[in-house]
């Protein structure tokens, strides 16, 4: 079946540090890949997505590239801010369906 | 903007009670979903619906049922609440089934504690 594995947190960083959250997936076919973010006390918001191999999704300074050869979709940001403190979820969705399969989530804490 | 509204943010219920969690979306989406979120487990799909009166089991349907009488509303029902159903419940919706890359929109979540 489909599965998503992401690094466990919490990840604690200082402001302006570089952030990487690893995400790898197992799926048949060609899934679409997503990063969602959950700020404290809120629901999930779509951060970025990629629908085919070598696509790069980007938003709010975050980037992730769909790497089919390594089945990965790592999230990166060059300079984090305190406001980036949140839980980040990697997810996949197969073409023939709309169900998302989520990773376990990675909590990120950015300190001033 | 798409809005997915969950009626209750925080609930405390007793073991054995029947619990209703309500969700409404305002964008005429065909698909609606109920997930539960637990630390370290991410989000797990309980049920989803792709049309009025249609439903399909997700990964963890045991102990839950759903109702979709109107397109905009999707209810999650705990027939007899148990303490292991203490969790954060998230409702979501999206457009047509099968379209690549369709965004799924989430509500703010309902924190349920069963005592």
């Amino acid at each position: 079946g489909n599965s998503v594995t992401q690094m466990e947190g919490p990840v604690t960083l200082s402001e302006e540090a570089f952030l990487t959250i690893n995400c790898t997936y197992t799926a048949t076919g060609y899934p679409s890949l997503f990063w969602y973010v959950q700020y404290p006390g809120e629901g999930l918001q779509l951060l970025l997505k990629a629908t085919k191999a070598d696509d790069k999704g980007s938003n709010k300074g975050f980037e992730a590239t769909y790497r089919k050869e390594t089945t990965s979709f790592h999230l990166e940001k060059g300079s984090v801010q305190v406001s980036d403190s949140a839980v980040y979820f990697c997810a996949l969705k197969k073409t023939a369906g709309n169900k998302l399969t989520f990773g376990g989530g990675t909590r990120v804490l950015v300190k001033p | 903007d798409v809005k997915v509204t969950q009626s209750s943010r925080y609930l405390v219920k007793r073991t054995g009670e029947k619990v209703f969690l309500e969700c409404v979306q305002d964008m005429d989406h065909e698909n609606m979903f109920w997930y539960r979120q637990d630390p370290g487990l991410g989000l797990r799909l309980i049920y989803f619906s792709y049309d009025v009166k249609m439903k399909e089991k997700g990964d963890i349907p045991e102990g839950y049922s759903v109702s979709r009488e109107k397109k905009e509303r999707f209810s999650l029902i705990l027939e007899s609440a148990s303490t292991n159903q203490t969790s954060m419940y998230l409702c979501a919706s999206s457009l047509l089934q099968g379209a690549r890359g369709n965004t799924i929109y989430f509500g703010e979540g309902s924190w349920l504690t069963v005592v």
Side-chain angles (χ1 to χ4, degrees):
Chain A
N2 302 328
S3 66
V4 177
T5 302
Q6 57 183 108
M7 56 192 293
E8 289 190 25
V11 174
T12 304
L13 304 164
S14 297
E15 223 170 4
E16 300 184 1
F18 185 87
L19 170 68
T20 299
I21 304 176
N22 291 338
C23 170
T24 56
Y25 68 90
T26 302
T28 56
Y30 301 93
S32 296
L33 301 173
F34 302 80
W35 277 101
Y36 279 82
V37 58
Q38 184 178 38
Y39 298 105
E42 298 184 12
L44 274 69
Q45 303 174 25
L46 178 66
L47 181 59
L48 53 85
K49 66 182 181 183
T51 58
K52 61 183 187 296
D54 299 325
D55 268 1
K56 178 187 283 188
S58 62
N59 186 27
K60 298 182 181 180
F62 290 89
E63 292 183 340
T65 301
Y66 188 164
R67 301 285 188 201
K68 186 161 175 59
E69 64 276 14
T70 55
T71 62
S72 65
F73 192 54
H74 304 321
L75 183 68
E76 297 181 337
K77 186 173 184 180
S79 177
V80 293
Q81 306 300 312
V82 173
S83 57
D84 294 324
S85 298
V87 181
Y88 294 82
F89 291 93
C90 185
L92 70 82
K93 180 163 72 70
K94 292 182 71 175
T95 304
N98 257 302
K99 293 186 290 183
L100 282 170
T101 299
F102 286 89
T106 302
R107 183 175 298 278
V108 173
L109 178 60
V110 180
K111 295 185 174 180
Chain B
D1 276 355
V2 175
K3 193 161 181 63
V4 180
T5 303
Q6 296 183 228
S7 56
S8 303
R9 289 300 305 276
Y10 302 97
L11 305 94
V12 179
K13 298 293 181 180
R14 295 193 180 278
T15 300
E17 274 193 78
K18 191 169 186 176
V19 181
F20 292 86
L21 299 179
E22 307 286 348
C23 175
V24 176
Q25 51 92 4
D26 65 357
M27 283 301 291
D28 203 35
H29 284 170
E30 289 81 6
N31 295 318
M32 296 189 75
F33 309 84
W34 276 105
Y35 287 86
R36 65 176 281 177
Q37 180 182 0
D38 300 289
L41 298 177
L43 277 74
R44 294 178 291 168
L45 182 65
I46 304 171
Y47 267 97
F48 71 101
S49 168
Y50 51 89
D51 201 354
V52 175
K53 297 192 185 297
M54 305 301 289
K55 62 185 179 184
E56 286 197 23
K57 294 180 180 179
D59 300 317
I60 52 164
E62 296 78 17
Y64 302 94
S65 62
V66 290
S67 172
R68 190 149 181 219
E69 296 295 321
K70 294 184 178 182
K71 190 175 185 180
E72 68 271 19
R73 187 179 297 271
F74 192 38
S75 303
L76 180 69
I77 304 156
L78 287 66
E79 295 290 343
S80 177
S82 64
T83 54
N84 63 11
Q85 292 178 308
T86 292
S87 187
M88 161 85 127
Y89 290 88
L90 286 161
C91 177
S93 71
S94 73
L95 283 170
L96 287 169
Q97 184 174 8
R100 177 182 282 278
N102 265 346
T103 297
I104 295 178
Y105 296 89
F106 285 84
E108 292 190 329
S110 298
W111 286 97
L112 172 66
T113 301
V114 182
V115 298

